[in-house]
Amino acid sequence: MTLPRTARGKRPAFDANPSVDRLVSIVLALASELSVLRDRLDTMEILGAQGGWLASGAVDSFIADQPTRERRELARDAYLDRVLHIMTAEIEGLQRDEDYWATVGEIETG
Amino acid sequence: MKNLVDQTEHAALIKGDHDDRARQDFAFTLRNRVTSDWMPSSRTVFDKRASAAFVRATGSAPESPRDIRAAMDADSWYRFYLSARRTSQELIWESTIPSVARALPQGGEGADLDASVLPPRYMSAIDIHCMPGGYAADRGVGDMAAGAVYDRGVYLYMSGLMGPRNDAVGALTVAYLRRHFPEFTPARILDMGCGVGHATLPYCDGFPHAEVHGCDVAPALIRYADERARSWGKAATFHQRDAEATGFPDGYFDLVTSHIVLHETSTSALSRILAESRRLLAPGGMAVHVDQPRFDGADAWGTFLQENETYYNNEPFWRKYRTIDLHAAAVSAGFDDADVTLDILTADVVTQSQNNAKLTPEAAARRRAGFSILIARAP
């Protein structure tokens, strides 16, 4: 069982060039991810200072082991799913035959 | 405008892990930027640039909502704002869905479910508010996913102004009733289109001796409502029923309510819901429907802004609903003209839901911003 990630109802076009709308969506999704990262670093720094385990230089000298590399690759793939979601959403919309304004008319007169 | 008090925990609430919450926090921040900063700024764009460009192109000033839309649609800042605004709405759901998809919450054993109740077309055709899957999605016995996504999403969408329990509209309405009708003590209450019970539970506190019921066509919301209410020790019963035809006996309730529900229905459903609330009222009972007010015909800018909900946020009935004369609709539905009143409820949550639209001084003088409250009494 999965939950859908795109809403039924045609996504409006805002710019004459559809790629501008794609870029707006991608840039804001990236901004979201950067914000998440900053919060996560802030949490780490607070916890590190509280526990006294985050020594100066420890992060720079860290080398990831193989399980960590694999885990991070999975996480990055999931990250790209989120950042680039607008591309997938558009395809899903194309795959559905929907007419948003026909439904508005139906509901306004129905 | 925002309120940073965190959403109150309960057994069914899913906030997710550190990064889910950080993503939700970002959606909260971005949404507020768009509604509290960019939305009012669009008026500056109109005054300083778009209006003059419209005059140059057409030879006349933009006066009607339609003119204003044409003027603004030609402006690239405005179009970028709209695009970002749409994305901010989508990021609310993007940030709440993954943790719910992992948890796949189950519950709602106390809910009164009826699988023969099907969602009406106005709920099933389009995902209202762009919530993927829609409110009526049901993924089988015990499924609460739509309720979990919605509860978290509403908190983010309303910039926390719905209160930590997402109950500001219900609480506001209860306070209004207690202030204006101190003698009114309903024994049985029905909240129509109750969703996850956001506006329903304040009635448990406001009328502690009343039997409180909520109904909605969406089973996953009803199950979640049941779980949420029990977690907080609130004695409310939630039913999967259609507000257009609830199946409860004639005169069964002393108070029938709905909160920001009517504008999500349709022209004919609105009449049927009002008629159903009349049918359900015991003698001396009261129907109370709270929702967005009618458009002010003289406020072309405000009308233009508000109509954007239909254009860009999957609100198929919003534009039409806000032209309807609710007083007349209540009379058509069987209430006596003298028993119907319309008033205005005002609070920060209302202003935020209307995108903090700045009124022109003339429009402000004519109208008080707020929700419309329709009160219709049975003799």
Side-chain angles (χ1 to χ4, degrees):
Chain A
M1 184 164 81
T2 55
L3 299 180
R5 286 178 58 204
T6 49
R8 290 167 300 162
K10 184 187 179 327
R11 192 174 198 273
F14 300 100
D15 194 275
N17 179 350
S19 280
V20 172
D21 287 342
R22 296 188 185 102
L23 282 172
V24 169
S25 186
I26 291 168
V27 165
L28 289 174
L30 275 170
S32 170
E33 294 305 322
L34 185 59
S35 174
V36 169
L37 198 58
R38 291 172 67 109
D39 282 5
R40 191 163 187 94
L41 279 174
D42 188 56
T43 301
M44 298 285 280
E45 285 168 18
I46 291 167
L47 292 175
Q50 284 172 355
W53 47 256
L54 190 57
S56 168
V59 172
D60 284 335
S61 60
F62 176 80
I63 307 289
D65 62 12
Q66 188 58 22
T68 303
R69 286 165 48 87
E70 289 169 10
R71 181 174 57 74
R72 287 185 177 176
E73 175 59 21
L74 280 174
R76 274 193 301 271
D77 252 345
Y79 168 68
L80 281 189
D81 279 348
R82 292 191 295 275
V83 171
L84 302 179
H85 175 62
I86 189 70
M87 301 302 285
T88 315
E90 197 167 327
I91 302 304
E92 285 179 25
L94 287 175
Q95 286 163 344
R96 281 194 294 263
D97 284 328
E98 43 182 32
D99 187 340
Y100 179 77
W101 287 102
T103 306
V104 170
E106 198 181 318
I107 283 168
E108 286 187 341
T109 57
Chain B
M1 209 182 318
K2 62 177 90 168
N3 184 349
L4 282 176
V5 61
D6 203 4
Q7 193 174 356
T8 306
E9 296 289 342
H10 59 76
L13 183 65
I14 297 172
K15 292 179 178 171
D17 63 20
H18 180 283
D19 289 3
D20 290 313
R21 281 178 275 118
R23 223 164 262 125
Q24 290 159 17
D25 288 346
F26 178 81
F28 178 103
T29 310
L30 179 65
R31 160 83 190 162
N32 198 260
R33 170 64 51 98
V34 164
T35 56
S36 299
D37 183 349
W38 289 3
M39 178 80 168
S41 294
S42 66
R43 177 69 201 213
T44 308
V45 169
F46 177 71
D47 290 339
K48 301 286 185 192
R49 188 167 69 195
S51 179
F54 183 88
V55 173
R56 282 197 300 278
T58 67
S60 56
E63 280 169 5
S64 65
R66 191 194 179 102
D67 290 346
I68 294 171
R69 180 167 304 285
M72 293 300 279
D73 279 351
D75 190 278
S76 67
W77 183 93
Y78 175 71
R79 287 201 309 275
F80 191 97
Y81 150 72
L82 285 179
S83 189
R85 182 187 174 99
R86 170 70 176 218
T87 300
S88 78
Q89 178 75 8
E90 290 163 350
L91 287 176
I92 287 174
W93 307 121
E94 282 281 298
S95 69
T96 50
I97 286 173
S99 54
V100 175
R102 290 198 304 275
L104 295 175
Q106 297 273 304
E109 282 78 15
D112 167 31
L113 296 163
D114 178 354
S116 73
V117 174
L118 297 175
R121 175 100 178 122
Y122 52 77
M123 279 192 69
S124 62
I126 285 171
D127 291 343
I128 291 171
H129 305 139
C130 307
M131 184 176 115
Y135 299 146
D138 184 16
R139 298 167 181 87
V141 177
D143 169 48
M144 301 197 297
V149 172
Y150 178 70
D151 191 19
R152 194 73 187 122
V154 165
Y155 172 81
L156 302 173
Y157 177 81
M158 289 310 305
S159 300
L161 295 172
M162 202 63 112
R165 295 184 175 221
N166 275 334
D167 65 354
V169 179
L172 200 60
T173 309
V174 167
Y176 179 96
L177 292 175
R178 293 182 60 86
R179 191 164 67 246
H180 288 81
F181 305 98
E183 81 294 350
F184 182 60
T185 49
R188 203 180 275 140
I189 299 170
L190 175 65
D191 185 28
M192 292 173 149
C194 66
V196 300
H198 285 157
T200 317
L201 298 190
Y203 289 85
C204 297
D205 300 325
F207 302 100
H209 302 297
E211 201 180 283
V212 176
H213 300 261
C215 77
D216 202 291
V217 290
L221 302 192
I222 287 300
R223 295 186 192 104
Y224 187 92
D226 172 65
E227 207 67 29
R228 176 177 179 270
R230 276 191 287 127
S231 172
W232 284 339
K234 306 290 181 192
T237 310
F238 293 95
H239 311 264
Q240 184 184 2
R241 299 194 188 208
D242 187 342
E244 296 181 44
T246 59
F248 290 112
D250 290 357
Y252 195 64
F253 293 99
D254 305 293
L255 174 61
V256 175
T257 63
S258 76
H259 306 80
I260 17 182
V261 169
L262 297 180
H263 80 265
E264 308 292 7
T265 64
S266 76
T267 302
S268 56
L270 169 63
S271 302
R272 287 195 289 272
I273 289 167
L274 293 176
E276 179 70 354
S277 37
R278 175 68 190 86
R279 183 186 73 79
L280 291 173
L281 286 184
M286 196 184 291
V288 175
H289 296 284
V290 175
D291 207 320
Q292 301 290 347
R294 273 179 98 177
F295 287 135
D296 174 352
D299 180 12
W301 175 257
T303 300
F304 152 72
L305 284 185
Q306 295 304 315
E307 285 185 346
N308 277 355
E309 296 297 320
T310 288
Y311 279 85
Y312 306 121
N313 195 27
N314 280 1
E315 285 274 21
F317 190 45
W318 175 289
R319 178 178 63 166
K320 170 77 176 202
Y321 171 77
R322 300 192 66 173
T323 66
I324 291 172
D325 180 346
L326 272 189
H327 188 117
V331 172
S332 299
F335 289 97
D336 286 339
D337 187 66
D339 293 330
V340 177
T341 51
L342 272 170
D343 201 355
I344 295 286
L345 283 175
T346 308
D348 285 351
V349 64
V350 179
T351 313
Q352 177 74 0
S353 85
Q354 294 167 355
N355 302 308
N356 301 304
K358 278 213 179 65
L359 296 175
T360 60
E362 310 84 67
R366 272 192 306 274
R367 99 174 181 190
R368 290 173 294 157
F371 281 139
S372 161
I373 178 167
L374 172 76
I375 299 158
R377 304 200 70 157

